[in-house]
Structure formats: C-alpha cells, structure tokens
Amino acid sequence: MRKRLTPTRAALTTAALTTAGLLLAAAPTAHATLADADAHAPARGKPYIETRLLFGTARPDGGPAVTDPQFMAFVDKEVTPDFPDGLTVRDVRGQWRDAHGTIERERSYELVLLYPVGRADANDRSIEEIRRAYEKAFGQESVGRVDEGARVDF
C-alpha cells in the first residue's frame, strides 16, 4: 500500500527539507565566522605570563587550617617583595587527591601574578621559592601552578 502525499503534507515535507538544508549549509559558515572573529580580534596590550598558584589551607597533619591573616602575612613576606607591581588573591574552594589517594576538599587561595615575558626566567625562580616556602610554613604536600601566555594592558 502506497502512501499518497496530500498537498499539506507535501508542503510541510518540502519546508522541513528546505529548513534542514539551509541549517546544514549555514553551519560551517557560522563556525568559520566565529573562528575568523577570534583570529581578527585586535591584539591589545603587551605579551605577559599569567601564573596562578593554588594554595590549600587544610593541613595534612590535621592541624588548624591556614587562616586569612596567616595567608596574607605570607603574601606580604614571601610574594610582595618579588611582585611589588601587583597581584590578585581569590578565595576559592578546591579538591585534589593527596599522596595517600584520598580526595581532599578544602578552602583555598588562588594567587594570580602577571609579569612581562622578558621577566619569565627571573620570576620562575621566585615563584618556585614561594611554593617551597608555603609548603614548608604550612606543612603542605604541594602548591599547584598554572602558567599561560596573556596580552595585558593596564
């Protein structure tokens, strides 16, 4: 038994196929347009490195968590002398797997440093000293580090 398309069904089928065809044809164009927009964005600012350091506050030995005043005193003593032009501290929540395989969830701090690419080698040494100092001062297993290129304009 053959189904016969009524004029209404034929019109709906044609409209659906036309719409689908237009959407499929436009999809690569829309994707290319987004990529082109990103590639043609004006390059503002100068080349910098953005380093984010992730400091946990829970102590592996079960001692009291690092407090805000303790952390800010650490920043004043260990970070500000090497990065006097500025930095950002954010209160965050973190999760990671410790050396024993336990998932730890804790209040943390994210420290954001921005510095010119030309200072990367000198600042790398300072940043590693900051990480080691925090680990030692507060009994931490590690301090996370993320480095990315950035363009910065103040």
Side-chain angles (χ1 to χ4, degrees):
M1 174 185 218
R2 292 179 80 195
K3 283 192 173 181
R4 194 173 139 210
L5 289 178
T6 64
T8 304
R9 218 180 246 174
L12 288 174
T13 301
T14 302
L17 289 173
T18 301
T19 302
L22 289 172
L23 288 173
L24 288 173
T29 305
H31 179 71
T33 302
L34 292 174
D36 287 343
D38 189 43
H40 291 91
R44 296 201 186 275
K46 296 177 182 171
Y48 269 59
I49 303 293
E50 176 183 353
T51 296
R52 292 184 311 244
L53 298 178
L54 307 169
F55 299 89
T57 59
R59 297 187 196 221
D61 64 3
V66 178
T67 65
D68 286 340
Q70 289 172 321
F71 184 76
M72 293 314 298
F74 174 84
V75 169
D76 291 345
K77 179 182 175 196
E78 301 291 341
V79 183
T80 302
D82 289 326
F83 297 92
D85 293 336
L87 53 89
T88 299
V89 174
R90 296 180 183 140
D91 289 315
V92 296
R93 300 284 305 167
Q95 169 178 313
W96 70 298
R97 187 183 309 271
D98 71 11
H100 305 290
T102 303
I103 299 292
E104 301 287 343
R105 292 178 180 89
E106 61 188 320
R107 186 177 60 80
S108 305
Y109 296 99
E110 179 182 35
L111 175 70
V112 181
L113 303 169
L114 296 168
Y115 47 91
V117 169
R119 298 262 322 132
D121 288 339
N123 285 341
D124 180 67
R125 286 185 291 281
S126 297
I127 291 166
E128 289 306 301
E129 288 172 10
I130 291 166
R131 293 174 75 196
R132 282 191 299 277
Y134 190 81
E135 290 166 4
K136 183 178 178 183
F138 299 107
Q140 300 292 303
E141 287 183 24
S142 67
V143 171
R145 179 177 177 173
V146 179
D147 294 305
E148 294 185 272
R151 294 197 67 84
V152 176
D153 186 19
F154 292 103

